[in-house]
């Protein structure tokens, strides 16, 4: 469920017309619905109300401080993958005991920061990382709480770039080496084993890969128990998909039901790391048509948002619905919606039937709340878009539009010319 609906042929976010918002804050702009964010987080979290669990929102999906604060206020923790995300999480007031830290390339500085903050646990991705964390914890005179991220070799049936739990992937420790890695972990003086972790991919539209992965992890937990290693946390990662187009991913409640069924007799606290399913359909990217252009082959709609603002179509060939902010006509035309960037890969939609639009019209690129702003860049020296949070009929700027001055702030011209 989301709160982007038409009223009198005008697209609203909650009770605010997006046209009015765009006129006031300019375009391109990312717009998030507070009610949708609140609802998505609560539905996911409450689906697991019957068991001890922690919903650790995955910061990479959308790392704006205001969103992190909202999820923290709903009892959420976070899944982080960098020192920068830890910094954000702490700035937003997420307590350290609700933070888990994944990622294959944690640096010494990042490890030290997380140890000093006292996070719940590191999700360890290799035995070299395990030793590095043990050694840093030794230097700092503490013990690092860890789970090993196990690669269960399950095909999540999603885009290869966002599949993370197959044998060929860079993530985690191979399932058949996991026992040995745990044995090594328990021999280390500054390591405290807390749990088992996995993450198999993102935008999953079926439940069975999650269940397969969970069964493999349960078998591993039994073996670890037999070795005298007790597991307090089972972290099942994120990955639940959302409808961008015709996909019909499982509802979080159905996902939860399937997981809960597999957990009978297990006495761990469960951790989940949902990202996309919480924020994806809670945000849109509003853009203005600059020009239209007809060539022998195509009708182009040239808009003021480019691949620097939303890279998913260019990077993964992803589909995002595009809707007019004011419905003026029922007449449609097949168009390519493209941005101003000097790359042929700069597009938001190819061969899409859209209501006929002209220069000045506003469009909403739907389902842009996850991996939208966070993957944006300054390519072509384009300032990053403004981010706005709407609650009811009011809006709050939660990140200002960058200025040209902002873009060059960290640069310097050396005195050598
Ligand atoms: C370790 C980890 N946890 C959680 C997530 C969030 O996944 P999603 O946005 O699909 O829920 C990701 C995404 O890649 C991830 O790598």
């Amino acid at each position: 469920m989301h709160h982007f609906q038409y009223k009198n042929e005008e697209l609203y976010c909650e009770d605010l017309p997006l046209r009015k918002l765009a006129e006031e804050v300019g375009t391109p702009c990312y717009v998030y619905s507070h009610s949708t964010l609140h609802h998505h987080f609560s539905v996911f979290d409450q689906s697991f109300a019957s068991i001890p669990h922690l919903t650790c929102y995955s910061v990479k999906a959308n790392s704006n401080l205001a969103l992190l604060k909202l999820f923290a206020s709903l009892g959420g923790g976070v899944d982080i993958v960098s020192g920068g995300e830890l910094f954000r999480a702490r700035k937003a007031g997420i307590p350290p005991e609700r933070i888990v830290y994944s990622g294959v390339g944690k640096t010494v500085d990042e490890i030290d920061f997380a140890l000093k903050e006292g996070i719940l646990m590191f999700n360890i991705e290799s035995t070299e990382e395990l030793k590095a964390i043990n050694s840093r914890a030794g230097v700092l005179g503490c013990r690092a709480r860890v789970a090993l991220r196990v690669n269960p070799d399950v095909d999540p049936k999603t885009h290869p770039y966002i599949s993370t739990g197959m044998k060929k992937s860079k993530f985690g420790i191979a399932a058949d080496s996991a026992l040995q890695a745990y044995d090594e972990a328990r021999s280390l003086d500054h390591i405290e084993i807390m749990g088992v972790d996995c993450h198999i991919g993102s935008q999953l539209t079926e439940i069975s890969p999650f269940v397969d992965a969970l069964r493999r992890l349960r078998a591993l937990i039994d073996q670890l128990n037999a070795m005298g290693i007790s597991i307090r946390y089972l972290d099942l990662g994120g990955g639940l998909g959302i409808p961008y187009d015709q996909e019909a991913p499982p509802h979080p409640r159905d996902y939860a039901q399937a997981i809960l069924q597999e957990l009978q007799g297990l006495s761990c606290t469960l951790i989940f790391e949902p990202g996309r399913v919480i924020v994806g359909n809670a945000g849109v990217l509003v853009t203005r048509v600059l020009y239209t252009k007809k060539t022998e082959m195509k009708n182009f709609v040239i808009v003021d948002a480019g691949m620097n603002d939303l890279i998913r179509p260019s990077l993964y060939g992803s589909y995002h619905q595009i809707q007019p902010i004011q419905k003026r006509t029922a007449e449609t035309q097949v168009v390519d919606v493209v941005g101003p960037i000097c790359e042929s890969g700069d597009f938001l939609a190819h061969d899409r039937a859209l209501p006929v639009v002209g220069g000045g019209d506003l469009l909403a690129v739907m389902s842009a709340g996850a991996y939208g702003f966070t993957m944006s860049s300054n390519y072509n020296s384009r300032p990053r878009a403004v981010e706005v949070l709407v609650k009811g009929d009011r809006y709050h700027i939660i990140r200002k539009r960058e200025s040209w001055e902002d873009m060059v702030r960290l640069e310097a011209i050396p005195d050598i010319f």
Side-chain angles (χ1 to χ4, degrees), residues 143-360:
R143 288 182 90 197
R145 289 178 289 275
V146 307
L148 301 197
R149 176 167 175 177
V150 177
N151 180 333
D153 192 24
V154 167
D155 183 355
K157 302 185 189 107
T158 184
H159 192 286
Y161 289 8
I162 48 176
S163 296
T164 54
M166 292 169 75
K167 260 194 180 145
K168 61 185 177 193
S169 135
K170 70 175 175 178
F171 297 101
I173 295 170
D176 42 19
S177 320
L179 289 179
Q180 211 183 329
Y182 271 98
D183 205 28
E184 187 167 354
R186 78 163 146 188
S187 72
L188 298 173
D189 289 343
H190 302 284
I191 292 290
E192 182 181 353
I193 296 173
M194 302 285 281
V196 173
D197 165 54
C198 82
H199 178 84
I200 56 174
S202 193
Q203 185 53 17
L204 270 69
T205 52
E206 291 174 31
I207 291 182
S208 60
F210 289 114
V211 171
D212 290 348
L214 175 52
R215 287 188 183 153
R216 284 177 205 184
L217 294 194
R218 275 212 70 165
L220 175 65
I221 291 174
D222 289 343
Q223 287 172 299
L224 291 171
N225 281 334
M227 285 165 63
I229 297 176
S230 72
I231 296 299
R232 288 157 55 194
Y233 290 91
L234 173 54
D235 181 340
L236 286 181
L240 201 54
I242 60 168
Y244 283 98
D245 183 16
Q246 303 296 326
E247 306 92 329
H251 188 278
R253 271 191 289 267
D254 299 329
Y255 162 77
Q257 209 170 17
I259 300 291
L260 291 172
Q261 246 169 29
E262 296 293 324
L263 292 175
Q264 310 285 337
L266 191 72
S267 58
C268 290
T269 295
L270 265 286
I271 294 178
F272 301 97
E273 302 172 355
R276 191 188 309 268
V277 73
I278 309 289
V279 294
N281 278 323
V284 301
L285 173 63
V286 176
T287 182
R288 196 178 281 281
V289 177
L290 296 172
Y291 309 105
T292 60
K293 168 161 144 177
K294 193 171 170 54
T295 68
E296 208 180 309
M297 307 277 291
K298 296 266 189 188
N299 295 308
F300 290 104
V301 172
I302 302 162
V303 297
D304 67 0
M307 64 190 283
N308 74 299
D309 298 298
L310 180 66
I311 202 175
R312 298 188 69 258
S314 311
L315 185 62
Y316 311 126
S318 307
Y319 181 97
H320 284 263
Q321 265 184 38
I322 298 184
Q323 299 187 357
I325 280 180
Q326 287 173 291
K327 281 191 187 167
R328 295 189 207 281
T329 170
E331 191 192 342
T332 62
Q333 191 178 32
V334 174
V335 298
D336 276 13
V337 181
V338 300
I341 299 247
C342 298
E343 302 261 352
S344 294
D346 176 29
F347 66 92
L348 297 174
H350 274 154
D351 300 320
R352 189 74 62 82
L354 284 189
V356 174
V357 289

Side-chain angles (χ1 to χ4, degrees), residues 19-90:
R19 175 194 44 79
K20 180 168 180 278
L21 179 60
E23 276 161 13
E24 289 179 22
V25 305
T27 55
C29 65
Y30 274 98
V31 184
Y32 312 120
S33 151
H34 179 275
S35 292
T36 312
L37 293 164
H38 190 294
H39 178 73
H40 286 179
F41 186 91
S42 305
V43 166
F44 188 96
D45 192 51
Q46 283 163 19
S47 298
F48 293 98
S50 62
I51 55 162
H53 74 281
L54 182 59
T55 300
C56 288
Y57 165 70
S58 189
V59 174
K60 66 178 81 61
N62 188 321
S63 52
N64 190 286
L65 294 177
L67 273 59
L68 300 185
K69 184 87 197 168
L70 168 64
F71 302 138
S73 75
L74 298 173
V78 287
D79 157 56
I80 57 163
V81 290
S82 69
E85 288 190 349
L86 176 53
F87 177 80
R88 283 180 175 278
R90 295 295 292 128

